[in-house]
Amino acid sequence: MKLYNTMTGQKEEFVPLRPGEVTMYVCGPTVYNYFHVGNARVFVVFDVVRRYLEYRGYKVTYVQNFTDIDDKMIKRANEEGTTVKELGDRFIKEYFDDAEALGIKRATYHPRATENIDNIIEFIKKLIDRGYAYVAGGDVYFDVSKFGDYGKLSHKNIDELISGARIDVNELKDDPLDFALWKAQKEGEPGWESPWGVGRPGWHIECSVMANTFLGQTIDIHAGGPDLVFPHHENEIAQSEAANGRPFARYWMHVGFLNVNNEKMSKSKNNFFTVRELREKYDPEIIRFFILTSHYRSPLNFSLELLDQAKNGLDRLYNGLENIKFFMNRGAEGREYTAEERGFTDRVDGYRDRFVQVMDDDFNTADAIAVIFELIRECNSFLKEGIHKQVAKKAYDVLMELCGVLNILEDKEQVVDEDIRRLIEERQKARAERNWALADKIRDQLRDMGIILEDTPSGVRWKRV
Ligand code: AMP
Ligand code: ZN
């Protein structure tokens, strides 16, 4: 498997630190607002990266943090007359609502910066002890001049950086490139006790610390949006490698920008669409599908017309699925496959091979979706009256397997079947426990769903009415 590493600027063979296991850290949202489609690109893309790694047999430990303390959080909380804590609680809840709608699986851990303050303080102490950080007033700064590898991720030259950098009037740092690890509390800001007085952590240090705490000193994949390469990720490297004396991340992955009229979608430009508002008019699966139709590193233009086009594409997939299911239910059975049918099932396996091939090449979801469309097209022309049921079932299984990796194309009837099975099991359990009231309640619930139960000697049967 190959992936493009921002650090080397090349596609590299993916070799995790421990065979069979992957540790992955993705910089998550600042939770002061609903997230927009540009943010969603990061979450959806790395959800697929994670799912694909799992599909290929890796055990993935996935961390996506919440930045729940920074200038924007404080400003917004003050505007709304609420606390930073309440603002964070609210938009974390809203994050999960939208993320779930987009089919994004929960990370193994979703740590919050404010719940890791003790570890952050310990980490900063270590940086001071090792001579990489200094105290100035109630602030603590990282001394960039001490870290020889500074600039290695963004391929920036220190001298150029210095000439472009400025010291803000409020900052007490020695050098324009130095950045805050800890900020002394100002009027109207929340703060935590520390050896340097009451204050709060800087943005960069929280990610170094949470990656270290939940995944260890060296992680396999560190990922995020394109605007994080510099300075955020550069600073994370400096902090982590200075503190631990070993490489921080083996692979750095960054998505391309999601643009509107060739300009980055961003809250500050006010050219954004939140996922929440789009959900009023579009099934969130369309947004997910739209994001995956391009390669994750390419710039991706967003407009409502493009979203409508994505809807048409997804509809074609759903029609293809219905066609396959038709033959799965009505096809022939009780005979051998014909030579044509054998040839077809072999070709179906070939689509799986091609899917794996393109996904192995730096997670090319655009080509992977093209392979799925080809499979559908071939099914549409091959499946016809008299075809063997199992042949259609084979196409169905492969289609659902590949779409399952991308988490698109849900077989809605299948989902209902699973709900029904679960309810029947619950009713059986209730009956075994002689909880007749609950058993009857579940039977009524199923009847409302149009399902009639029949208790037979060989178990429960159900049918639709
Ligand atoms: P934020 O909530 O602003 O911290 O952003 C969360 C994530 O979304 C970060 O990884 C950003 O780099 C990413 N991001 C923000 N805007 C865009 C965009 N227009 N295209 C792609 N990624 C973006
Ligand atoms: Zn981060």
Side-chain angles (χ1 to χ4, degrees), residues 5 7 75 112 114 136 198 208 331 362-363 380 416 458 463:
N5 188 351
M7 180 75 87
K75 183 164 172 275
R112 296 173 65 154
T114 57
V198 178
S208 278
D362 197 25
F363 307 97
N380 286 346
V416 172
S458 58
K463 63 173 192 239

Side-chain angles (χ1 to χ4, degrees), residues 194-207:
S194 84
W196 319 288
V198 178
R200 62 180 166 103
W203 171 35
H204 316 299
I205 195 71
E206 43 168 277
C207 284

Side-chain angles (χ1 to χ4, degrees), residues 18 186 200 220 240 251 315 386 417:
R18 283 180 297 276
K186 295 197 201 84
R200 62 180 166 103
D220 290 309
S240 298
Y251 303 90
D315 285 346
D417 289 359

Side-chain angles (χ1 to χ4, degrees), residues 41 226 256-266 269 271-273 290 298-306:
R41 188 177 194 191
F257 276 115
L258 183 118
N259 296 325
V260 179
N261 297 325
N262 298 316
E263 236 193 346
K264 166 192 170 185
M265 179 179 286
S266 84
K269 293 206 180 80
N271 62 352
F272 63 93
F273 287 86
F290 164 75
S298 317
L300 171 59
N301 235 346
F302 177 85
S303 69
L304 295 180
E305 291 73 47
L306 290 167

Side-chain angles (χ1 to χ4, degrees), residues 118-164:
D118 291 349
N119 288 335
I120 291 173
I121 290 173
E122 286 311 308
F123 205 93
I124 297 175
K125 275 194 207 159
K126 197 167 164 188
L127 285 170
I128 296 173
D129 289 348
R130 300 191 73 167
Y132 286 102
Y134 59 92
V135 183
D139 298 344
V140 184
Y141 292 96
F142 187 91
D143 185 347
V144 169
S145 70
K146 296 273 164 56
F147 186 71
D149 279 347
Y150 197 76
K152 69 177 171 181
L153 178 70
S154 51
H155 311 290
K156 286 189 192 285
N157 172 313
I158 296 252
D159 297 333
E160 277 168 15
L161 287 173
I162 291 174
S163 68

Side-chain angles (χ1 to χ4, degrees), residues 289 292-293 317 324 347-360 364-379 395 398-399 402-403 406 408:
F289 181 73
L292 296 177
T293 49
L317 290 189
I324 294 170
R347 287 200 300 284
V348 167
D349 280 327
Y351 286 105
R352 181 199 283 116
D353 296 342
R354 283 180 50 210
F355 178 91
V356 168
Q357 202 181 358
V358 298
M359 287 295 283
D360 267 359
N364 194 337
T365 58
D367 283 0
I369 288 174
V371 170
I372 291 170
F373 271 114
E374 280 180 44
L375 168 62
I376 290 280
R377 223 171 293 133
E378 168 133 24
C379 290
V398 171
L399 176 67
L402 306 188
C403 288
L406 305 179
I408 51 170

Side-chain angles (χ1 to χ4, degrees), residues 9 27 32 68 85 99 120 125-126 135 170 176 183 190 195 197 200-201 209 216 266 285 339 389 429 433-434 455:
C27 292
Y32 68 106
D68 61 350
K85 166 89 173 70
I120 291 173
K125 275 194 207 159
K126 197 167 164 188
V135 183
N170 297 319
K183 300 179 182 190
R200 62 180 166 103
V209 174
S266 84
E285 189 181 21
K389 267 185 172 175
K429 195 161 151 272
E433 289 163 359
R434 302 185 152 266
D455 292 308

